[in-house]
Amino acid sequence: MTATTAQAPILRARNVHKAFGSNEVLKGIDMDIAPSEVVAILGPSGSGKSTLLRCINRLEEINKGFIEVDGEQIGYKLQGDRLVALGSAAIARQRSKMGMVFQSFNLFPHMTVLQNVIEAPVGVHGVKRREAVELATGLIEKVGLADKLNAYPRQLSGGQQQRVAIARALAVKPKILLFDEPTSALDPELVGEVLATMKDLAKQGLTMIVVTHEIGFAKEAADRVIFMDGGHIVEQGKPEEILVNPQRERTREFLHRVL
Ligand code: ADP
Ligand code: MG
């Protein structure tokens, strides 16, 4: 966690628009994320939070504006003074600078915990197997699952599976970690262990964008809270400002409903 924003942003989004057919979902998003910053995105269902994350890691293509991660425009490269659309291999390489953790874990069911975590480093990044195993083992320990290296996802609780998914996202040494409601699918008693893992990562200086309804997490772990509604950023600021003393009626209404 850091409060400084003096460094160049690791992510810049400018005037990002995204529509599905005639349904305009993102209506001009501007956002800078500083290295090591932890940002919580709150907002009602349908406000475009998942779409924004999916545009950042290019699971969706934007219609207007740009998104830059680590100095590179997502989906494009500069050729001379012209922007040229990237092919799928180059897009995969850009995407691999980001780790994404979904609501539904998305582990490979036929692979062990260790195999899940080394899959991308070995398969996509060409890391040597021995090296990948060493890194993965450390990450699996870090999320508290050292004794589950050879277990299969079905043998784990939801909370344990989600922690494996976090280790897997970390295994590609991402510049940014994106979380889309990582605890929404969990039984209430399993939410805490996943949030604790995420708070650890926040303290270690990872850059994180976390879409969540966990106000407690936003309050304790986020440097900044962004409130989205109707495809816009309605309001943003320090957690104590936004969560305690929101300025906009829509933010107030939302917080009343979830608190
Ligand atoms: P949130 O995550 O804030 O709940 P989403 O980004 O998932 O919101 O969805 C915002 C809007 O975009 C919704 O109206 C949803 O139906 C629409 N949408 C999202 N993904 C798609 C898609 N792949 N195709 C068509 N519409 C989509
Ligand atoms: Mg969503």
Side-chain angles (χ1 to χ4, degrees):
M1 256 205 290
T2 172
T4 170
T5 48
Q7 295 145 291
I10 190 86
L11 180 144
R12 292 202 305 144
R14 286 293 176 279
N15 195 28
V16 169
H17 287 254
K18 173 68 186 172
F20 296 102
S22 62
N23 183 12
E24 261 198 272
V25 175
L26 299 178
K27 302 174 185 166
I29 299 289
D30 293 314
M31 187 168 81
D32 279 1
I33 309 285
S36 296
E37 197 178 14
V38 177
V39 173
I41 302 184
L42 312 181
S45 182
S47 57
K49 306 177 302 294
S50 295
T51 301
L52 178 59
L53 292 189
R54 293 171 60 82
C55 288
I56 290 172
N57 77 354
R58 197 39 168 75
L59 291 169
E60 301 289 353
E61 199 175 339
I62 65 178
N63 304 126
K64 195 171 156 190
F66 70 83
I67 299 173
E68 220 178 71
V69 172
D70 198 24
E72 280 182 30
Q73 189 166 338
I74 295 301
Y76 294 88
K77 68 175 174 195
L78 211 50
Q79 212 161 62
D81 55 4
R82 269 183 344 122
L83 274 178
V84 180
L86 292 175
S88 56
I91 287 173
R93 188 186 53 75
Q94 285 188 331
R95 184 175 296 138
S96 71
K97 288 184 171 193
M98 294 168 260
M100 179 119 176
V101 177
F102 300 90
Q103 185 174 335
S104 53
F105 326 140
N106 295 0
L107 298 176
F108 301 112
H110 58 291
M111 292 185 186
T112 65
V113 166
L114 182 63
Q115 286 167 341
N116 264 282
V117 178
I118 67 170
E119 201 273 339
V122 173
V124 183
H125 294 256
V127 176
K128 289 206 182 65
R129 198 187 148 80
R130 192 158 40 86
E131 211 175 296
V133 167
E134 199 175 319
L135 171 69
T137 307
L139 292 171
I140 294 163
E141 273 171 27
K142 191 154 129 182
V143 299
L145 294 171
D147 57 335
K148 301 289 186 192
L149 277 180
N150 297 310
Y152 286 88
R154 67 173 177 279
Q155 299 170 313
L156 304 178
S157 73
Q160 290 172 330
Q161 289 186 54
Q162 194 58 306
R163 286 187 281 146
V164 174
I166 292 172
R168 185 177 60 175
L170 289 168
V172 298
K173 301 182 179 164
K175 300 280 180 184
I176 303 186
L177 274 175
L178 308 171
F179 294 85
D180 194 358
E181 300 199 32
T183 60
S184 296
L186 296 174
D187 292 334
E189 72 272 22
L190 302 177
V191 169
E193 65 190 61
V194 172
L195 292 179
T197 301
M198 291 166 60
K199 283 179 200 166
D200 267 356
L201 300 177
K203 277 195 206 124
Q204 287 164 26
L206 273 107
T207 310
M208 297 166 50
I209 305 178
V210 184
V211 171
T212 185
H213 294 303
E214 294 290 336
I215 303 295
F217 174 84
K219 203 178 270 177
E220 288 168 44
D223 299 302
R224 176 157 50 119
V225 171
I226 290 178
F227 177 71
M228 277 181 73
D229 194 12
H232 295 282
I233 292 178
V234 171
E235 178 165 15
Q236 58 179 315
K238 290 192 178 2
E240 58 271 27
E241 296 165 4
I242 301 298
L243 299 173
V244 178
N245 191 18
Q247 299 302 303
R248 301 300 182 99
E249 186 53 35
R250 276 192 283 178
T251 316
R252 258 179 245 146
E253 258 171 45
F254 174 79
L255 289 172
H256 274 301
R257 264 186 287 133
V258 299
L259 283 175

